[in-house]
Amino acid sequence: MTSSNVAKTLVSLIVVGAILALPKNVMAQSSVGSIVTQDFFNGIINKATGDCPGKSFYNRDAFLNAVNSYGQFASGPDEQSKREIAAFFAHVSHETGFLCYIEEIGGANLDPSHYCDQTRISEYPCNPSKGYYGRGPLQLTWNYNYGAFGNANSIDGLNAPETLAQDAVVSFKSALWFWMENVHSVIGEGFGATTRRINGAIECDGKRPDLVQARVNYYNDYCNQLGVAPGDNLYC
C-alpha cells in the first residue's frame, strides 16, 4: 500500500470513528439548505394562486441568505432541525397563504395608530405616517417588533417598515428574527408550543380549533415531506 493510500485509509477510519462516537440518540446535523431544497420550497409557494404577489417576491435564495444571519436556526440534530423547519414553514404557510401575501390584507388601509403600542412608544416611537401592520413570512406587526427587529439588523424599522415588503432577504430576516426571539426556545416542547408563542391568545385553549388544526395539518405535511416524525404535543 502506498503512503497516499495509507493516509486515505487513516482519514476514513477517523471519520468512521467520529460518527460511531456520537451518542446513539444524536443524529448528524444537516444544513438548512440541504433540507429546504428547491423542490421543497417550490412545493410550498406553488400552492399559492397564480396572481399572488408573493410568488414573484419570495424565493429560496433569499431565505437561505437570511438564514446566514441566524446560525442557531435549525442547528440541532437532524430530526430536531427538520421539525423546526417543518414548524417554521407550517406557520409561514398559515400566515401568508403559502407565501402568497407579502403584506397584511387591508393593512395599508388601517389608521397608522392601529399597531402603535402606546405603552412602549418611548422606546419605539411610532412614525405617524407609517403603518406597522403585518409584513413578511410571519407577518411582523407592532411598532416594538419593527423597532427591535430593525435594531438587531441595522435597519430603520420604525421609519421604513415598508422595507420588509420590498426586499425579500429583509422580509425573511424579519420572520427568522421573530422566530428566534419568540419560538425557537420551545421547539423541543412540541408543535403546539410554537403555535401558542405565535398566536396563542387568539387560537389556543379552544378559542379557534379550526385555525390550530390548519397549522397542525401543514406541519404534519411538511414533516412527512422531510421524512421525520412530527413528535408529540401538536396542539396548544
Side-chain angles (χ1 to χ4, degrees):
M1 183 180 293
T2 65
S3 58
S4 176
N5 288 336
V6 170
K8 290 179 180 179
T9 300
L10 287 173
V11 169
S12 298
L13 289 173
I14 291 170
V15 171
V16 171
I19 293 173
L20 293 175
L22 287 171
K24 291 183 179 180
N25 64 335
V26 175
M27 298 176 67
Q29 178 188 342
S30 297
S31 69
V32 174
S34 69
I35 299 171
V36 183
T37 64
Q38 190 67 61
D39 284 344
F40 178 79
F41 190 92
N42 289 347
I44 296 172
I45 203 165
N46 286 342
K47 290 181 181 178
T49 58
D51 59 350
C52 280
K55 295 190 77 168
S56 59
F57 179 73
Y58 297 116
N59 59 82
R60 175 176 175 268
D61 286 346
F63 167 71
L64 294 180
N65 189 320
V67 166
N68 288 334
S69 296
Y70 294 93
Q72 294 304 306
F73 174 75
S75 62
D78 194 62
E79 183 177 80
Q80 181 178 315
S81 294
K82 288 180 177 179
R83 284 178 177 167
E84 182 163 11
I85 287 169
F88 177 81
F89 280 104
H91 291 301
V92 164
S93 295
H94 184 81
E95 298 291 333
T96 64
F98 302 107
L99 291 170
C100 177
Y101 303 112
I102 304 170
E103 299 180 300
E104 177 182 343
I105 298 173
N109 298 323
L110 295 172
D111 187 288
S113 65
H114 185 79
Y115 285 116
C116 179
D117 186 345
Q118 296 295 321
T119 66
R120 305 187 66 176
I121 202 165
S122 61
E123 185 180 6
Y124 301 110
C126 299
N127 184 323
S129 66
K130 301 294 182 178
Y132 304 106
Y133 51 86
R135 295 183 179 88
L138 285 181
Q139 297 289 280
L140 195 74
T141 56
W142 296 101
N143 55 312
Y144 54 83
N145 278 326
Y146 276 90
F149 163 67
N151 291 342
N153 289 272
S154 301
I155 296 166
D156 192 350
L158 291 172
N159 293 307
E162 63 276 5
T163 306
L164 276 66
Q166 297 171 344
D167 186 317
V169 175
V170 172
S171 197
F172 272 117
K173 279 185 177 182
S174 74
L176 289 165
W177 171 83
F178 182 87
W179 184 270
M180 297 307 295
E181 289 289 317
N182 300 281
V183 186
H184 175 75
S185 62
V186 301
I187 195 68
E189 299 174 23
F191 182 72
T194 68
T195 299
R196 186 174 293 279
R197 285 295 181 92
I198 289 175
N199 210 24
I202 295 175
E203 298 180 19
C204 294
D205 302 314
K207 297 182 181 74
R208 288 298 305 271
D210 56 328
L211 299 184
V212 171
Q213 185 63 59
R215 293 180 191 266
V216 171
N217 291 346
Y218 296 143
Y219 174 66
N220 282 333
D221 180 25
Y222 297 149
C223 281
N224 183 58
Q225 290 185 43
L226 297 177
V228 64
D232 300 322
N233 304 319
L234 300 184
Y235 297 86
C236 60

